[in-house]
Amino acid sequence: MPKRTTDELSDLKAFAAVAHAGGFREAARLLQLSPSGLSDAVRRLENHLGVRLLHRTTRSVLPTEQGQQLLERVAPAFAELELALQIVNSARDKPAGNLRLNVPVNATRLFLAPLLTRFLQRFPDISVEVIAETGVIDIVAAGCDAGIRYDDRLEQDMIAMPIGPREQRFATAAAPALLEKTGRPQHPDDLLKMPCIRGRFAKGNLERWSFQRGEEVCHIEPHGPLIYSGGTGADLGVSLAREGVGVIHLFEGWLQPYLDSGELEPILGPWWQPFAGPFLYYSGRKLLPPPLRAFIDFVKAGE
């Protein structure tokens, strides 16, 4: 009985390989087996199930409707089995493989570079792919192992843990020459009379600037000569702000080098509103790949 189960698993793997490769020769090349051996395995599985699983022509091999249904069921199971073997091997050897992260653009600018530098030095057999964008995506559907987002943008079925600075602020600044012309604002409402540089979110809506001093909270929608694409176009906005085109409202860490150099002057400092830092999040529905497990442990340890 156990041998029959083992044979069935081998035949299922052969079928899945042929279906994914679109032919027996390509699947045989990838698996380093003979095309005839794979053909025998698929035929054996079809006889056992009593249904045809593949349409075979001289030009192509495609799953039948029943074959596609079977493929959709067994492919995730084989992926989990492969991952389980990787995890067992990682307990014996160094973690190795690829780690795909989906992150906001500001993370790559503010804290991710030094973190990844230390991580890659610690785990030289792991390679990291970073997909930086402003919009929120389904990381599982996109083939990413994990993502970085803020609390208000996390899906409820995800596991999340803090990463990066635990508190951040949006800073407001302008070139000293501009402030000499317009005067220095004392209240956020004063910005409504000044040229401002705003960002537009991926969904199309313009950023609303928020301020807080004590119990007083103020939200404004300023106007100005430039609108940039949020995240990806922020450097353009900062460059024009440094030239005196308008007031900029952005992550404090992003503006800090220009505040330090004097190219930008901070304004409305007592009104800068703090907010919680970002989170690393990932799906808890499946086994964790060794590179992701290593990254999670690395972040938790604060290395």
Side-chain angles (χ1 to χ4, degrees):
M1 185 66 178
K3 184 178 186 303
R4 178 66 252 168
T5 301
T6 301
D7 290 343
E8 288 172 359
L9 284 174
S10 297
D11 294 347
L12 278 169
K13 287 183 178 179
F15 158 68
V18 172
H20 283 302
F24 288 94
R25 290 187 179 278
E26 179 62 15
R29 184 186 68 80
L30 294 173
L31 297 178
Q32 295 185 334
L33 298 172
S34 69
S36 61
L38 290 179
S39 180
D40 291 341
V42 173
R43 188 176 298 109
R44 190 165 52 242
L45 181 62
E46 289 177 326
N47 290 336
H48 176 69
L49 296 176
V51 296
R52 178 177 288 249
L53 299 175
L54 295 173
H55 290 301
R56 303 165 175 85
T57 71
T58 56
R59 294 185 177 181
S60 64
V61 175
L62 297 172
T64 64
E65 182 179 353
Q66 292 86 355
Q68 185 62 37
Q69 291 174 351
L70 179 61
L71 188 64
E72 290 173 356
R73 293 277 185 170
V74 301
F78 284 141
E80 286 292 310
L81 285 172
E82 180 65 26
L83 183 55
L85 293 175
Q86 290 181 23
I87 291 174
V88 172
N89 286 333
S90 71
R92 180 191 60 189
D93 305 319
K94 294 180 181 180
N98 300 319
L99 173 64
R100 298 187 80 231
L101 300 175
N102 180 273
V103 306
V105 174
N106 70 74
T108 65
R109 182 65 178 262
L110 301 181
F111 67 87
L112 197 56
L115 177 65
L116 286 181
T117 297
R118 297 192 301 273
F119 176 72
L120 293 172
Q121 289 172 345
R122 173 74 173 78
F123 299 100
D125 295 324
I126 293 177
S127 63
V128 178
E129 179 179 356
V130 175
I131 299 95
E133 54 193 338
T134 55
V136 178
I137 69 166
D138 182 337
I139 59 171
V140 176
C144 294
D145 299 298
I148 296 176
R149 285 294 180 267
Y150 290 85
D151 185 48
D152 60 342
R153 308 188 104 187
L154 291 178
E155 297 179 22
Q156 293 184 352
D157 61 346
M158 292 288 172
I159 297 174
M161 57 176 286
I163 187 173
R166 295 319 315 133
E167 184 176 281
Q168 294 180 291
R169 294 191 303 176
F170 273 101
T172 312
L178 175 65
L179 296 176
E180 291 297 328
K181 294 179 182 178
T182 63
R184 288 165 175 77
Q186 302 301 310
H187 189 278
D189 287 344
D190 295 339
L191 295 175
L192 297 174
K193 303 173 184 177
M194 301 176 66
C196 294
I197 297 172
R198 298 176 71 186
R200 187 184 295 278
F201 292 113
K203 291 184 178 181
N205 53 313
L206 287 170
E207 294 174 345
R208 184 174 66 163
W209 294 4
S210 298
F211 301 88
Q212 182 175 5
R213 184 173 64 178
E215 298 298 320
E216 185 178 359
V217 177
C218 185
H219 305 288
I220 66 168
E221 296 187 4
H223 301 279
L226 177 72
I227 296 173
Y228 62 84
S229 175
T232 55
D235 278 330
L236 175 64
V238 173
S239 293
L240 268 68
R242 291 159 56 200
E243 295 295 328
V245 173
V247 178
I248 188 102
H249 184 73
L250 197 61
F251 288 93
E252 182 179 5
W254 205 313
L255 297 181
Q256 194 61 56
Y258 311 108
L259 298 174
D260 292 341
S261 68
E263 293 177 85
L264 291 176
E265 180 180 324
I267 54 178
L268 299 171
W271 290 88
W272 292 358
Q273 188 179 47
F275 56 93
F279 292 82
L280 175 72
Y281 71 103
Y282 52 94
S283 173
R285 296 178 180 175
K286 60 181 182 179
L287 296 172
L288 296 180
L292 177 56
R293 178 76 269 170
F295 188 64
I296 291 170
D297 292 341
F298 183 84
V299 172
K300 283 182 177 180
E303 296 187 44

